[in-house]
Amino acid sequence: MTSTASHKHILDQPFVLDLFAGPGGLDVAGHSLDIPSLGIEWDRSACLTRYAAGLDTLHADVSAIRRDAFETLPPEINVLAGGPPCQTYSVAGHGAGRQALDRVKEYIERLMGGDSDQEIDEDLKTLTDPRTALVLEPLRYAIQATRSPNRENRPYDVIVLEQVPAVAPLWKHYAKVLEETGLPDGTKYKVVVDVLDTETYGVPQTRSRAVLIARREGLGEPSLPSPTHHSYEAKEWNRKRGSSEPDQAPDQNHQPTLDEAAASGSDEGLLPWRSMRDALAHPVGSHPGRVTPFLVRSNYGSSGHPGRRGVRTDQQPATTVTGRISRFVVFEHLDENIVYEGPRFSMNEAGMLQSFPPDYPWSGTAQAQQVGNAVPPLFGAHLLSAALGLPVPDPEVLRKPWQPATDEQRAKLRSNGCGAADACTDRCPQAKDQVPPPSSLRPRKGKKAAAK
């Protein structure tokens, strides 16, 4: 179900709590809609990016805040949002989460049945990869809100979640229990779940996400955001371009017509999907613009599909932007016979392919991983707008250079988030506390594994 009704704001003053906030994709989305947010993020470098961007942040473990410091969260928060870490569910990972789907569904039932946190935490220790359990945190926060004296036991009004497509069965189970069983205090929600493609919302990248939008009963039926752009289909693109190779285009100097750019769709009123050229060709802020046509060779499948890996031209959307974006090889060409390796994507450019504003202040280490892990802000803005009954977001807001925080603002944000203006403190999580399990515990692949 997508949004077709006239816009009616369901909350007068929305305030978002962003779990697993990363470098700020959903918070930037909120910023573009003038919606305040507070993010919780355990990774130090992602927090440094957030402080530099001027985003309110707690450098903390989501689970620890729920257990030990929930009462310190602002009571006026009424929107719960987030994208739990996807590594154990992603096709790029080892698959521990995908293999544990049925067990996780059982934990969902137990939480809604009122089982104690202590019992569930003890049982969760048996999971092969502890990160698998993080997908339960949004539900545990929703329950905790109804037990919070600081909130007067008031439940969240709206819940917005996104994850890799493999998590869709869990979001559907979330929907079932939220609608039929309700939280332990009796609160029920109306819920919609689906897998959406980000290029259909103007993001210059093919990326599929499992989405859940829930509204507390009495706040109206929720709806998914209506697409604004056509979807991208590689087969149709290649057919019209006369290529038999996946995601290849032989005539690099051909300028696509609107019909070709929107080759996969016939819906009237939708814009053509946005290409990498659309996002990167023009100078903006410190970005000089990539005026020379280029090809990109990816080492990762598009939208989580390994079969879609290959080469794309600047006239196509980017493949799924992951932490490997800095490894994508970019070839520039002067004509059909002269091709050479050009500069790889800068972090600014990688962020723009995710729909982050130009000059977003990527900070700390593993910046490519930060970019790849983030929610595309334009996609996030569509999700929040649909969830809250707001008008379709204006993408031009996110194409303007980002104004970073001043040194004074950044120091204040870090003091609030870490406990000191220029350093982490003992209250900040340690990286060693959340790492992948030893290789001996991970699912094994290949002939040796099959032989066991």
Side-chain angles (χ1 to χ4, degrees), residues 326-339:
S326 58
R327 304 181 196 175
F328 288 9
V329 181
V330 180
F331 296 97
E332 295 185 341
H333 51 93
L334 301 178
D335 57 40
E336 294 181 6
N337 300 314
I338 302 178
V339 179

Side-chain angles (χ1 to χ4, degrees), residues 242-294:
S243 171
S244 60
E245 297 297 324
D247 268 359
Q248 299 275 350
D251 179 8
Q252 308 302 341
N253 293 317
H254 171 72
Q255 295 295 318
T257 65
L258 290 182
D259 287 340
E260 290 174 326
S264 65
S266 59
D267 295 331
E268 295 183 3
L270 295 183
L271 298 169
W273 39 256
R274 295 191 69 230
S275 67
M276 290 182 279
R277 177 182 294 183
D278 293 334
L280 302 180
H282 302 292
V284 57
S286 65
H287 173 60
R290 279 192 180 251
V291 295
T292 304
F294 61 85

Side-chain angles (χ1 to χ4, degrees), residues 161-436:
L161 305 175
E162 66 86 41
Q163 247 279 18
V164 294
V167 176
L170 292 184
W171 287 167
K172 290 178 180 178
H173 203 65
Y174 259 52
K176 181 177 183 294
V177 296
L178 286 170
E179 288 189 330
E180 297 178 5
T181 308
L183 301 179
D185 76 328
T187 299
K188 293 185 178 181
Y189 291 81
K190 297 293 185 179
V191 190
V192 287
V193 175
D194 206 350
V195 175
L196 306 179
D197 297 323
T198 60
E199 82 271 15
T200 64
Y201 299 95
V203 179
Q205 170 199 175
T206 52
R207 184 188 194 101
S208 299
R209 306 302 286 179
V211 168
L212 177 150
I213 295 178
R215 289 182 183 176
R216 185 171 50 79
E217 280 193 338
L219 293 177
E221 292 285 338
S223 59
L224 297 167
S226 298
T228 53
H229 293 65
H230 284 284
S231 63
Y232 169 80
E233 293 293 341
K235 289 183 179 179
E236 186 68 18
W237 167 270
N238 293 327
R239 183 183 68 78
K240 286 186 173 289
R241 303 281 290 205
S243 171
S244 60
E245 297 297 324
D247 268 359
Q248 299 275 350
D251 179 8
Q252 308 302 341
N253 293 317
H254 171 72
Q255 295 295 318
T257 65
L258 290 182
D259 287 340
E260 290 174 326
S264 65
S266 59
D267 295 331
E268 295 183 3
L270 295 183
L271 298 169
W273 39 256
R274 295 191 69 230
S275 67
M276 290 182 279
R277 177 182 294 183
D278 293 334
L280 302 180
H282 302 292
V284 57
S286 65
H287 173 60
R290 279 192 180 251
V291 295
T292 304
F294 61 85
L295 307 170
V296 180
R297 185 176 69 205
S298 166
N299 63 349
Y300 181 72
S302 172
S303 297
H305 297 285
R308 293 188 187 177
R309 64 165 55 94
V311 175
R312 290 193 183 179
T313 77
D314 61 339
Q315 299 169 31
Q316 297 165 275
T319 55
T320 302
V321 174
T322 71
R324 302 176 185 178
I325 184 66
S326 58
R327 304 181 196 175
F328 288 9
V329 181
V330 180
F331 296 97
E332 295 185 341
H333 51 93
L334 301 178
D335 57 40
E336 294 181 6
N337 300 314
I338 302 178
V339 179
Y340 58 93
E341 185 171 338
R344 299 193 178 189
F345 291 131
S346 67
M347 286 304 98
N348 191 16
E349 290 175 318
M352 292 166 69
L353 294 177
Q354 274 274 62
S355 74
F356 275 89
D359 293 339
Y360 195 70
W362 303 102
S363 305
T365 60
Q367 292 181 15
Q369 195 66 48
Q370 292 183 50
V371 175
N373 287 346
V375 178
L378 181 54
F379 182 60
H382 278 277
L383 296 181
L384 290 176
S385 293
L388 298 170
L390 302 175
V392 175
D394 179 5
E396 294 304 318
V397 175
L398 292 169
R399 295 173 193 163
K400 299 176 181 178
W402 186 266
Q403 296 299 317
T406 64
D407 290 344
E408 182 179 358
Q409 291 170 333
R410 180 162 33 186
K412 182 177 180 180
L413 288 167
R414 191 166 191 187
S415 180
N416 292 337
C418 289
D422 57 357
C424 287
T425 66
D426 290 341
R427 81 184 198 193
C428 297
Q430 301 297 312
K432 64 179 178 60
D433 295 332
Q434 291 189 23
V435 296

